[in-house]
Amino acid sequence: MDDDTRDKYVEAGRIAREARELAVEIASPGTELVNIAEKAEEFIREEGAEPAFPVNLSLNDHAAHYTPSRSDDTVIEEEDLLNIDVGAHVDGYIGDTAVTVDPSGENQELVEASEDALDAALDIIEPGVSLGDIGAAIQEAIDSYGFSPVRNLSGHGLGHYEQHTGKTIPNIDTGSGKTLEEGEAVAIEPFATDGKGKVKDGGPGNIYRLDNENARGRTGRKILGEVKNRFRGLPFTSRWIESVPAARLKTAMSNLVRSGNLHSYDILREAGEGLVSQKEHTVIVGEDPTVTTR
Ligand code: CO
């Protein structure tokens, strides 16, 4: 990785971290989820970066892939558990980071299980470490609390304008002998649950990705043009679309999903309706790894 690229990863990581901290600060009981998402995204833009994906806000048995729409009036309640997953990019170089908020303090052990798992993984990261060993470190830490890692969610490599690319970094011991290399950027993200340890699809989550830019109608073409120019293949949400008035947006978006132009991500929900906690950092692999989001 050259110095210029590294500097951009480090700057994206700083901005993602500060946006995450801001989101945690405002995520007190009674706050609308849409406010948390919009304030964090606004902060990222004010700092000169762009969101790498919409702020994911996952309540209770939701693990990931939900962002509120403008009309969503859901608030965080005292007894909720909320995962906040934030991404920022500088010229396509991404910082990806997440944390769990537990206003009542009733689920601190579950929160600590993913925190400890992330620390255990970061502690062994160096060039040549196997993906299986990282998964084993995560699994062992979460097991020691009596919880389960979510086995079908994983960490991932980061690329230029690519949020999930290259290697898949497991949250369980898969025995994989594949290794991390010097200078690779990866996101490590353990999820812990008191449920079945697996997620299932839970319906549309208001997060999209461009799949095919050739739409038939004018409205669709307008949206896809904006999506292509502004988001460059990264995930986005209808909240961000400016080229079509809000009143026509909902129908236009569902048409684009139906025609295969847009991929709509499903909310990922714990299969046993267990609570899910998450902790994530972005790391540049090295003898002395750089954790950009810490
Ligand atoms: Co991630």
Side-chain angles (χ1 to χ4, degrees):
M1 182 182 292
D2 62 42
D3 285 351
D4 185 49
T5 303
R6 175 178 289 271
D7 288 349
K8 286 176 179 172
Y9 268 116
V10 167
E11 176 69 351
R14 175 194 65 83
I15 295 169
R17 164 176 55 84
E18 290 186 20
R20 183 197 70 217
E21 287 167 351
L22 173 68
V24 168
E25 220 172 275
I26 56 186
S28 52
T31 308
E32 286 190 5
L33 296 188
V34 69
N35 278 338
I36 302 171
E38 291 207 309
K39 292 239 168 71
E41 290 163 2
E42 194 181 291
F43 172 83
I44 290 169
R45 295 188 179 108
E46 280 167 7
E47 291 293 303
E50 286 291 329
F53 50 84
V55 173
N56 282 219
L57 295 172
S58 305
L59 283 173
N60 304 318
D61 66 330
H62 287 189
H65 294 177
Y66 177 74
T67 202
S69 65
R70 277 210 190 98
S71 58
D72 186 334
D73 57 4
T74 307
V75 298
I76 174 172
E77 314 267 7
E78 174 86 24
E79 62 275 17
D80 282 334
L81 193 65
L82 177 67
N83 297 342
I84 302 176
D85 194 338
V86 175
H89 77 84
V90 172
D91 294 340
Y93 299 102
I94 299 167
D96 185 356
T97 182
V99 70
T100 299
V101 175
D102 172 30
S104 70
E106 292 289 316
N107 297 294
Q108 276 309 293
E109 295 220 325
L110 188 60
V111 171
E112 277 168 31
S114 7
E115 287 174 358
D116 279 6
L118 179 58
D119 286 342
L122 293 175
D123 201 47
I124 59 167
I125 284 193
E126 61 184 1
V129 67
S130 78
L131 304 186
D133 282 352
I134 297 173
I138 289 172
Q139 180 167 28
E140 208 172 286
I142 294 174
D143 281 352
S144 77
Y145 282 83
F147 297 120
S148 306
V150 176
R151 60 182 180 271
N152 57 345
L153 289 177
S154 44
H156 47 93
L158 294 163
H160 192 219
Y161 286 104
E162 283 186 294
Q163 204 235 328
H164 280 245
T165 188
K167 288 164 193 165
T168 295
I169 298 145
N171 287 327
I172 54 167
D173 182 5
T174 55
S176 168
K178 265 194 204 161
T179 56
L180 292 182
E181 318 292 329
E182 172 87 38
E184 245 183 309
V186 295
I188 310 287
E189 51 180 325
F191 292 80
T193 182
D194 58 4
K196 283 192 176 156
K198 162 175 125 174
V199 287
K200 58 177 184 182
D201 287 346
N206 201 32
I207 301 175
Y208 306 88
R209 177 190 73 215
L210 179 62
D211 258 2
N212 172 356
E213 59 190 72
N214 302 308
R216 224 178 288 148
R218 249 186 323 274
T219 310
R221 280 204 294 267
K222 244 189 212 172
I223 295 175
L224 295 182
E226 180 180 0
V227 164
K228 193 178 158 204
N229 290 331
R230 286 183 61 203
F231 314 129
R232 310 260 311 250
L234 289 168
F236 66 95
T237 178
S238 54
R239 274 193 284 110
W240 297 352
I241 302 292
E242 292 163 351
S243 54
V244 167
R248 276 161 50 207
L249 192 56
K250 205 174 170 203
T251 314
M253 293 293 284
S254 38
N255 287 342
L256 288 169
V257 170
R258 215 170 324 115
S259 58
N261 292 104
L262 294 181
H263 169 77
S264 165
Y265 291 88
D266 268 336
I267 299 169
L268 299 173
R269 211 166 172 178
E270 216 287 318
E273 292 174 24
L275 293 172
V276 181
S277 71
Q278 174 194 16
K279 182 90 192 221
E280 178 179 26
H281 279 310
T282 296
V283 193
I284 302 169
V285 180
E287 290 303 337
D288 191 12
T290 307
V291 182
T292 66
T293 51
R294 185 157 60 187

